[in-house]
Amino acid sequence: MIQSSYEWQLDDKVADTNFLKAAKKEGLDVLAAQLIYERGVETIEELQAFLNPSLEDLYDPYLLHDMDKAVERIRRAIENYEQILIYGDYDADGMTSASILKEALEELGAECQVYLPNRFTDGYGPNQSVYKYFIEQQGISLIVTVDNGVAGHEAIRYAEERGVDVIVTDHHSLPEILPEAYAIIHPEHPESEYPFKHLAGCGVAFKLACALLETVQVELLDLVAIGTIADMVSMTDENRIMVKYGLNMLKHTERVGLQELMRISGIERDSLDEEVVAFQIAPRLNALGRLDDPNPAIDLLTGFDEEEAQAIALMIDEKNTDRKTVVQEIYDQAKAMIDTSKPAQVLAYEGWNSGVLGIVAGRLLEELHQSVIVLSIEDGRAKGSARSIESVNIFDALSEHPDLFIAFGGHAGAAGMTLEVEKLAQLSDALSTYILENGLDNPQKGTLLLDEELDLEELTLDTVKAFERLRPYGMDYPKPLSTSSSVSRRARPLSTWSLLVKDI
């Protein structure tokens, strides 16, 4: 007999008659109306706003902490012909964030350069050596970070000591002590009045662009959509508004690089939705940063040269193919190293590509239902990524052992780390001990929340069309799937309107 991996829990909220009548006038059937009601759209006003999102509902960017200071400093830099550096990140969110700010600054006539750090030589976040180069060799006098910066104490301190102001725009978890930057724009800043805390890095960059240009920059929303979907932030509130508009922009994009990337990928623009971005566009952009120098992505996203755009798009597509091959090779090797007697896996091997280890760890976690750390060994050090099951907070488990690490950071479900090779056994013991001492080696079933119970004949074509109107789906607002006799809100989509639930 097949055993369920989850305890199923059915939502018992029932929409009132007036809500259902209003939903019917909007073209929704009862099942679709009940679905969004259970997910928090409970009034007729909320229903209308949900189905007809407006850019007028976006929040004032000046509610973000230090936005006024940042805008004033950037405008002063432009007036004084200062050299500005946009310092981004090597993933799709970082690429789109940097591209958004680049286009906004160039529209204002700024002298600016963009640099995306190399994962292998620069690492994540502000890098003092890179800052030093741009300050000394390129005459940079203002640095604006996008999608990074709140943990960059050393590099930011260096820049400020050299008389170079640093404006941080970021959305990652805030450390207890913030860097001494000129300005910090972050939706979760303790002094911020911003009502929505879940912007992606590109969303924060977009807010800065809107403040600088004093209007909502609709033409940048295609980039916001890509970065927001790629970074898997909450698909609610204004993220949903920006992505919905952005996806429509993508269908008609005039960016020659994106046109070429979609053509090479076989993407039909008319059918472009959040799943196409998540599974075809974003992985290709991410592949570049996982395997090589990410900076050509800026030219792809912002350039006008058709021949160059085609060459970059081809190169990115090839990198994505290479990425799949590398992941499979490492996955096969790592799988052969698994010790089933242990409650968690620490797998390390010399020469593995550190850029894809998070993907490998995630695949092994799904298969083993155990926390997994996958590390590459080079020059006596092991560097890589961890992915953890829901019951094991990997950050709490390992942050108790700072002596093990050269570098460590993360959150409950994922972490990155660097340590000396001779400490690998201690790392494995520390994680296993944490799991065993807390009784987490035989975790209880998680809960699978179900939106609705229905008979199979209720799942009609009209219902499917109604569900399509509820797009875009994403984090905190997942695509509904049906399994046996229930519609699940927590299952991961496998294909369009799949009748099979896959465990998260």
Side-chain angles (χ1 to χ4, degrees), residues 234-264:
S234 180
M235 193 61 69
T236 58
D237 208 296
E238 67 175 352
N239 277 346
R240 184 175 186 276
I241 299 173
M242 293 188 293
V243 169
K244 192 171 181 69
Y245 275 85
L247 288 172
N248 188 58
M249 291 288 298
L250 265 179
K251 290 180 179 180
H252 307 92
T253 187
E254 297 182 0
R255 299 180 188 276
V256 293
L258 285 177
Q259 290 176 358
E260 283 298 320
L261 189 62
M262 287 190 280
R263 182 186 65 80
I264 291 169

Side-chain angles (χ1 to χ4, degrees), residues 73-85 109-113 138-143 163-165:
R73 180 66 184 89
I74 292 171
R75 286 178 175 165
R76 177 155 43 95
I78 295 171
E79 291 171 2
N80 295 331
Y81 302 100
E82 294 182 53
Q83 294 291 319
I84 302 172
L85 174 66
E111 300 284 342
C112 65
Q113 300 181 57
Q138 301 294 320
I140 293 295
S141 58
L142 175 63
I143 298 172
V164 174
D165 290 328

Side-chain angles (χ1 to χ4, degrees), residues 165-376:
D165 290 328
V166 180
I167 295 171
V168 171
T169 76
D170 201 354
H171 74 119
H172 291 95
S173 298
L174 291 169
E176 289 186 13
I177 301 175
L178 294 174
E180 296 179 3
Y182 181 88
I184 298 177
I185 302 174
H186 192 296
E188 294 185 62
H189 193 286
E191 298 177 20
S192 174
E193 298 179 3
Y194 205 71
F196 184 61
K197 307 300 183 184
H198 306 297
L199 292 173
C202 61
V204 182
F206 177 73
K207 290 294 175 176
L208 177 56
C210 293
L212 286 166
L213 294 166
E214 300 181 335
T215 185
V216 175
Q217 298 300 296
V218 179
E219 67 278 7
L220 296 176
L221 286 173
D222 53 353
L223 298 178
V224 176
I226 293 173
T228 299
I229 294 168
D231 222 48
M232 297 189 293
V233 292
S234 180
M235 193 61 69
T236 58
D237 208 296
E238 67 175 352
N239 277 346
R240 184 175 186 276
I241 299 173
M242 293 188 293
V243 169
K244 192 171 181 69
Y245 275 85
L247 288 172
N248 188 58
M249 291 288 298
L250 265 179
K251 290 180 179 180
H252 307 92
T253 187
E254 297 182 0
R255 299 180 188 276
V256 293
L258 285 177
Q259 290 176 358
E260 283 298 320
L261 189 62
M262 287 190 280
R263 182 186 65 80
I264 291 169
S265 306
I267 296 171
E268 296 289 341
R269 286 210 239 174
D270 290 343
S271 63
L272 192 147
D273 57 26
E274 68 274 18
E275 290 186 334
V276 172
V277 173
F279 296 111
Q280 297 195 54
I281 295 176
R284 284 174 167 81
L285 294 175
N286 282 329
L288 186 60
R290 291 185 184 281
L291 301 183
D292 209 332
D293 175 17
N295 283 282
I298 302 300
D299 294 325
L300 178 89
L301 297 174
T302 66
F304 299 97
D305 188 310
E306 292 185 5
E307 290 187 6
E308 182 182 38
Q310 183 181 41
I312 296 173
L314 281 168
M315 182 265 290
I316 287 176
D317 193 62
E318 291 170 359
K319 291 294 181 185
N320 190 49
T321 300
D322 293 343
R323 186 264 307 168
K324 293 177 183 177
T325 301
V326 171
V327 167
Q328 188 61 46
E329 290 175 351
I330 296 176
Y331 170 79
D332 290 339
Q333 292 174 325
K335 189 174 179 181
M337 299 166 60
I338 290 169
D339 184 348
T340 56
S341 68
K342 293 186 176 182
Q345 304 297 319
V346 177
L347 311 172
Y349 193 79
E350 188 165 359
W352 279 345
N353 186 310
S354 59
V356 302
L357 298 185
I359 299 175
V360 175
R363 284 181 60 179
L364 290 172
L365 177 146
E366 289 189 1
E367 182 174 331
L368 301 172
H369 301 291
Q370 285 185 331
S371 300
V372 179
I373 301 176
V374 185
L375 304 158
S376 176

Side-chain angles (χ1 to χ4, degrees), residues 183 207 425 438 474 489:
K207 290 294 175 176
N438 288 279
R489 70 169 64 174

Side-chain angles (χ1 to χ4, degrees), residues 29 138 141 379 476 495:
D29 70 352
Q138 301 294 320
S141 58
D379 297 329
D476 298 331
S495 59

